[in-house]
Amino acid sequence: MSYLAITDLQKHYDSYHALRGINLSITEGEFVVFVGPSGCGKSTLLRTIAGLESSTGGTIELDGRDITELASSKRDLAMVFQSYALYPHMTVADNLSFALRLAKVPDEEIKEKVRSVSASLQLDPLLERKPKELSGGQRQRVAIGRAIVRQPKVFLFDEPLSNLDAALRVQMRLELARLHKKLGTTMIYVTHDQVEAMTLADRVVILNAGQIEQVGTPLELYRKPNSRFVAEFIGTPKMNLMPVDSVVRDGETLNLKLLNSQVDFPANRLPGQLPSSVILGIRPEHMSIVPEGGQISGVVELIEHLGSEAYAHIQLGSGQTIIVKASARSELQDGQAVNLLIDEAEVILFNENDRVVSVIPEEA
């Protein structure tokens, strides 16, 4: 049974249609991440669930109760914002306990809840400090702790780590994952960072132009995208896309002709009719640079050395530049001619409408 059920949710801002019929079911205890480009509707969806924005159609049900028209304070949800939103004149302890005191929770119960949350988030040494005396990571932990003490049915996170530096974001991601495992509470998290989405989520919801493009586990979205948008959005660097000049069927094989080269593709991986226009997609990590042979050749434009790995930007004969994962100790030079081998089992085909028209074999 769905714990949080969103049915045909709509949101209009005058003539602008921000949410276009969102349907989503979230089970109890799940960690779900909303991700997508700026303006896709992910924060609007989160805020509408929270009751900070009113919907203009559809329903939201939580644990069997319709909360669509309820005030945000009555929804049994807790939200953590990007800006921390701490009270600057209050100590950490007072910030943690404020909502409980407002709800007239008994003092002993408040003390116990604050003590428990403070210990779990390692805030004990900071309880008497004020927000201005804290680092960004410490402030975010306080903001998370303030949400935890309320013991809501669902936690909502609106890009909570975007103000932190890279190293601190990694640390806070780990703390959030541990926190979810410890609490077992349903969490919904909004981010524009696909790395956060892939590392934190049980399931990822990819949004585009106010609609859900695809929902799945991180691995499902990476391995089996259903559209060009999802395929390009998931994965760093993003998927290489190359137009196919022609397709010739040779028995059980499709010969994909591109750039005066050929990629063989099993015909049984095409579940429907061959489209009139085909685009070949292949990820940088599913291509390799070989001394000879391969299906494509090109010239090295740039090498990105990232320590544990390297990426080669290679210009093809068509003028298009693609990215190929290379050895971390690669001695490739700018301007060097190279041969490229494609892992044919990892090829994905798209039609003229940017939909996937091939399947990845289960054993690949």
Side-chain angles (χ1 to χ4, degrees):
M1 179 181 173
S2 175
Y3 189 63
L4 180 67
I6 300 168
T7 306
D8 195 28
L9 195 66
Q10 310 276 344
K11 177 62 181 177
H12 291 266
Y13 295 99
D14 297 325
S15 61
Y16 177 60
H17 202 171
L19 298 178
R20 302 168 178 264
I22 300 293
N23 291 285
L24 181 64
S25 294
I26 296 173
T27 60
E28 187 172 6
E30 249 192 318
F31 198 130
V32 174
V33 176
F34 297 165
V35 69
S38 296
C40 70
K42 56 187 184 293
S43 288
T44 300
L45 176 56
L46 191 78
R47 291 175 62 84
T48 305
I49 293 170
L52 301 176
E53 300 276 358
S54 59
S55 63
T56 48
T59 60
I60 305 170
E61 293 185 2
L62 176 60
D63 199 13
R65 182 175 64 135
D66 190 335
I67 63 170
T68 313
E69 302 298 330
L70 288 182
S72 58
S73 59
K74 305 294 184 182
R75 295 193 179 200
D76 209 357
L77 309 169
M79 192 157 177
V80 177
F81 297 91
Q82 176 181 342
S83 60
Y84 315 136
L86 301 177
Y87 296 105
H89 62 288
M90 293 184 183
T91 64
V92 168
D94 289 339
N95 266 284
L96 291 174
S97 63
F98 180 73
L100 300 178
R101 286 187 279 113
L102 209 60
K104 296 184 169 37
V105 174
D107 287 346
E108 286 304 312
E109 186 177 342
I110 290 176
K111 288 179 182 177
E112 176 56 29
K113 287 184 175 180
V114 169
R115 184 203 63 75
S116 175
V117 168
S118 175
S120 67
L121 292 175
Q122 301 171 0
L123 294 173
D124 287 347
L126 310 176
L127 288 175
E128 297 308 314
R129 297 188 190 180
K130 292 185 177 179
K132 66 181 180 180
E133 302 172 88
L134 306 178
S135 68
Q138 290 168 338
R139 291 178 194 177
Q140 194 56 276
R141 290 211 304 273
V142 175
I144 292 170
R146 188 175 57 183
I148 292 173
V149 295
R150 294 174 52 193
Q151 297 180 316
K153 289 185 174 179
V154 180
F155 289 108
L156 307 175
F157 296 90
D158 190 7
E159 303 203 48
L161 310 185
S162 59
N163 289 337
L164 307 180
D165 63 47
L168 199 49
R169 280 203 303 272
V170 173
Q171 179 187 335
M172 286 300 298
R173 281 207 307 267
L174 183 60
E175 289 188 20
L176 279 172
R178 287 172 175 162
L179 189 63
H180 177 250
K181 185 177 290 187
K182 178 180 179 180
L183 298 176
T185 308
T186 308
M187 294 185 176
I188 304 175
Y189 187 103
V190 163
T191 182
H192 65 276
D193 185 339
Q194 61 157 294
V195 174
E196 285 183 13
M198 298 291 278
T199 54
L200 284 172
D202 295 321
R203 284 192 304 154
V204 178
V205 179
I206 299 184
L207 290 117
N208 181 28
Q211 296 176 304
I212 293 177
E213 279 279 340
Q214 190 171 350
V215 181
T217 66
L219 187 58
E220 285 171 347
L221 297 177
Y222 173 82
R223 296 279 291 122
K224 298 181 179 181
N226 62 14
S227 68
R228 176 174 171 173
F229 177 87
V230 174
E232 287 193 280
F233 193 83
I234 296 295
T236 304
K238 69 180 184 178
M239 179 178 281
N240 297 305
L241 298 169
M242 293 173 276
V244 175
D245 297 326
S246 66
V247 181
V248 177
R249 183 181 290 269
D250 181 10
E252 296 301 313
T253 302
L254 299 177
N255 303 143
L256 310 179
K257 307 286 185 178
L258 67 161
L259 303 172
N260 299 317
S261 301
Q262 177 177 302
V263 175
D264 293 330
F265 189 86
N268 62 7
R269 285 187 52 205
L270 197 68
Q273 294 294 318
L274 185 67
S276 57
S277 177
V278 179
I279 294 174
L280 182 150
I282 187 73
R283 296 193 183 279
E285 55 270 34
H286 297 147
M287 302 182 74
S288 54
I289 298 169
V290 293
E292 57 184 26
Q295 301 101 328
I296 305 174
S297 59
V299 176
V300 176
E301 282 190 324
L302 172 71
I303 300 291
E304 289 183 286
H305 290 283
L306 304 178
S308 61
E309 57 194 9
Y311 288 97
H313 295 245
I314 296 172
Q315 187 176 71
L316 306 179
S318 63
Q320 178 186 0
T321 297
I322 63 172
I323 301 176
V324 179
K325 188 175 182 180
S327 166
R329 297 183 179 181
S330 172
E331 296 181 356
L332 292 170
Q333 301 294 322
D334 293 355
Q336 180 178 341
V338 291
N339 298 302
L340 307 176
L341 181 66
I342 293 174
D343 183 347
E344 293 171 344
E346 298 290 346
V347 167
I348 296 177
L349 301 183
F350 304 90
N351 64 15
E352 62 274 13
N353 297 317
D354 293 335
R355 308 307 295 182
V356 172
V357 292
S358 61
V359 294
I360 292 284
E362 291 297 331
E363 65 273 13

